[in-house]
Amino acid sequence: MASVHNEKGIVYSKMSNYSEALRNALMALRYYEKSDNMQLYGNSLVNLGLLYKHQNQIDLAMLYYEKAIVVYKKLSEKDSFFSIAATYSNISQAYLKEGKIDSSIKALTQSQEYVNKINDNYLNAENNHAFGMIYFDLKNYKQAETNYLAALRSFNLLNDKSGIAKTKVRLGRLYFKQKHLTKGLEFNQEGLELAKKINHLEWQKE
């Protein structure tokens, strides 16, 4: 029954029907917190955090993210590191939504510490991309470039075309800012062409 409500919650969330998504996610949580499966219980808490974040209820999102961290830390190290890293990344995004840059960087750094322990290319790519966006907004273009290039290397290793596209678009913006116009145009065009090829046209709107 918990998995049914969980799946319904995900579907309603994708439809932006957050009231129904929340109702089902809370029902799933009630089942999971009575079970012995701490991984699914933690995941359920994270799902609620994401739902509250989408509704700009950041305090509630943080509450559920922090609860998830506590649950995940009860698991064995091997099972928990990915989940903890991903949750700290979500916490970073929530802080960023509130404009709390220092707290966002701190949470993302905590995430990366766990990523380094498991050498996960996907989370490494996403974290470096997130760092790049933060440092770009702070006008620390050198650090932003370092992070974007690290993200691009990881996305290439994964053959993650969506990740490659969005990172090349970001690098194009960065090089334009630095007045490296030829380089900026090259990366921007490559990113947009790849985005069109894989039908991720939202990158053209960035």
Side-chain angles (χ1 to χ4, degrees), residues 128 142-156 167 171 174-175 183 187:
N128 272 294
K142 183 177 180 180
Q143 185 60 51
E145 181 184 25
T146 297
N147 288 119
Y148 280 145
L149 290 173
L152 188 59
R153 286 192 295 272
S154 291
F155 282 131
N156 276 318
T167 307
L171 277 164
L174 174 65
Y175 291 132
K183 200 171 183 179
F187 273 89

Side-chain angles (χ1 to χ4, degrees), residues 13 15 23 39-40 47 52 65 73 78 99 101 103 108 119 125 134 138 148 161 194:
S13 178
M15 296 168 61
R23 186 177 71 82
Q39 181 69 54
L40 291 179
N47 288 341
Y52 282 120
Y65 288 150
K73 286 184 176 180
K78 184 179 179 182
I101 305 300
S103 295
L108 201 53
N119 196 29
I134 291 170
L138 292 173
Y148 280 145
K161 291 181 171 58
L194 180 56

Side-chain angles (χ1 to χ4, degrees), residues 51-178:
L51 284 171
Y52 282 120
K53 191 193 81 168
H54 286 315
Q55 297 176 87
N56 292 315
Q57 297 183 57
I58 303 302
D59 288 344
L60 281 172
M62 289 295 194
L63 175 66
Y64 283 99
Y65 288 150
E66 295 292 351
K67 284 183 177 182
I69 293 287
V70 172
V71 170
Y72 288 141
K73 286 184 176 180
K74 293 178 181 178
L75 299 171
S76 67
E77 290 186 356
K78 184 179 179 182
D79 293 332
S80 66
F81 284 173
F82 180 93
S83 298
I84 293 171
T87 306
Y88 273 125
S89 180
N90 286 327
I91 290 172
S92 173
Q93 293 172 26
Y95 276 130
L96 197 60
K97 200 161 186 175
E98 288 189 312
K100 297 178 179 179
I101 305 300
D102 289 343
S103 295
S104 179
I105 291 173
K106 181 180 177 181
L108 201 53
T109 301
Q110 288 174 295
S111 173
Q112 193 60 30
E113 287 172 359
Y114 282 93
V115 171
N116 292 339
K117 292 177 182 179
I118 56 176
N119 196 29
D120 186 273
N121 279 322
Y122 174 74
L123 285 179
N124 188 57
E126 290 292 346
N127 279 358
N128 272 294
H129 189 271
F131 272 125
M133 291 175 65
I134 291 170
Y135 286 117
F136 178 85
D137 288 341
L138 292 173
K139 297 183 170 54
N140 185 342
Y141 298 136
K142 183 177 180 180
Q143 185 60 51
E145 181 184 25
T146 297
N147 288 119
Y148 280 145
L149 290 173
L152 188 59
R153 286 192 295 272
S154 291
F155 282 131
N156 276 318
L157 284 172
L158 295 165
N159 195 29
D160 184 332
K161 291 181 171 58
S162 175
I164 293 168
K166 71 179 182 180
T167 307
K168 285 193 171 185
V169 168
R170 293 286 181 179
L171 277 164
R173 287 182 177 180
L174 174 65
Y175 291 132
F176 281 137
K177 281 286 186 181
Q178 294 176 306

Side-chain angles (χ1 to χ4, degrees), residues 2-13 20-21 23-25:
S3 60
V4 172
H5 286 300
N6 191 56
E7 289 300 319
K8 282 184 177 180
I10 292 170
V11 170
Y12 280 122
S13 178
E20 277 301 307
R23 186 177 71 82
N24 279 278

